[in-house]
Amino acid sequence: EHLSGCDGEVQKGNVMVTPVNSITLTSPAGTDNQKVRRNNPVSNITYSTTGATGADITGLPAGISGNWADNVVTISGTPSVLTGTYVYTITLKGGCGNVTTRGTIILLEPPQLFCPPVILLSQCPGTDVFVKPYATYAEFSAAGGKAVSAHGIVESSFIFEGDSPPTGSCPQTINRTYTISDMYGQQALCQQEIIIRDTDKPTFSGSLTSAQTINSVADLVSIAGLKDNCGLDMSYISYSTDELPG
């Protein structure tokens, strides 16, 4: 529209104002710089935007997705990769201005715990194990155990969890379990084997001759004076009725 008058001219027209883009974190503080344990989802990360008509989101680890809808950017999911540090970038599209923001997702590497060597005990199976468990990480380490973590081990979190029931007869095996955590509370465990074996052979204090009659294993044990420090298991004893030398 064009108007003229004594004092000059007045012009009117339409002016289009494009709003300046903005982006603001709306999820709890720190969610844009978070550490994630293995197999756990990220805490959802959200941003509100103004002016933009969309957003490009790059740099996320596999398994994590980001999208823009109704002026909200949402980042969520469970990582399918194991470890690493990922810096993501959000770049707003449309509107006015080149507006970006960044955040970090760190996928934590779990700790590892390696038990000391197998403990071999020469005693009767079924008797109490008189080897005390390690009470501290220092004792565990001195015996040959080791904890490894990229994020630091909390030695005071070392715990003896217990012994499994014995398996087998001779030898018997017991699994002794220990755990420890890293500075992010991720736990590792290992099992130390304890093998119990009777290493003393049975003894014979009697003698066998052709004049003796053996009708059972019990007769054989009695006449031969067969003894064992851990007791005799009759199921492992057999005999033959072949003639014995006189």
Side-chain angles (χ1 to χ4, degrees):
E1 184 178 352
H2 185 116
L3 301 176
S4 61
C6 297
D7 295 328
E9 297 182 351
V10 177
Q11 293 184 342
K12 293 182 179 179
N14 295 322
V15 177
M16 180 177 291
V17 178
T18 302
V20 176
N21 290 343
S22 70
I23 183 167
T24 304
L25 180 71
T26 53
S27 54
T31 52
D32 58 341
N33 185 17
Q34 62 179 282
K35 298 175 177 64
V36 183
R37 298 181 184 183
R38 181 172 291 184
N39 299 323
N40 286 345
V42 297
S43 297
N44 285 3
I45 308 168
T46 57
Y47 297 84
S48 65
T49 68
T50 60
T53 58
D56 288 327
I57 307 165
T58 59
L60 294 171
I64 304 296
S65 62
N67 67 81
W68 179 96
D70 298 327
N71 296 316
V72 175
V73 172
T74 303
I75 296 173
S76 61
T78 301
S80 58
V81 290
L82 298 182
T83 60
T85 298
Y86 296 84
V87 178
Y88 64 84
T89 301
I90 303 171
T91 303
L92 298 185
K93 298 190 297 184
C96 183
N98 183 20
V99 176
T100 65
T101 190
R102 291 180 174 82
T104 304
I105 297 174
I106 300 174
L107 307 182
L108 297 174
E109 181 178 349
Q112 293 178 287
L113 188 62
F114 302 94
C115 272
V118 174
I119 296 175
L120 300 175
L121 297 180
S122 178
Q123 65 183 61
C124 297
T127 57
D128 292 336
V129 176
F130 294 108
V131 177
K132 292 183 178 180
Y134 311 115
T136 65
Y137 179 71
E139 292 181 3
F140 178 87
S141 179
K146 180 172 66 173
V148 178
S149 171
H151 313 295
I153 287 293
V154 180
E155 293 188 8
S156 61
S157 69
F158 177 80
I159 296 175
F160 160 60
E161 299 288 353
D163 291 340
S164 70
T167 59
S169 55
C170 189
Q172 279 187 337
T173 300
I174 294 172
N175 289 317
R176 177 165 285 178
T177 302
Y178 297 94
T179 61
I180 200 167
S181 299
D182 67 10
M183 63 179 296
Y184 293 113
Q186 299 185 112
Q187 192 177 77
L189 67 81
C190 70
Q191 290 186 325
Q192 183 183 30
E193 272 194 337
I194 301 174
I195 297 178
I196 304 171
R197 186 190 300 273
D198 171 23
T199 57
D200 293 337
K201 296 180 179 180
T203 60
F204 294 85
S205 60
S207 60
L208 296 175
T209 68
S210 58
Q212 294 165 324
T213 301
I214 298 174
N215 296 315
S216 66
V217 170
D219 288 344
L220 175 63
V221 170
S222 176
I223 294 171
L226 184 59
K227 296 180 179 180
D228 187 79
N229 63 308
C230 293
L232 294 172
D233 185 342
M234 297 297 189
S235 64
Y236 286 95
I237 302 174
S238 61
Y239 69 97
S240 170
T241 56
D242 293 343
E243 183 177 344
L244 297 173

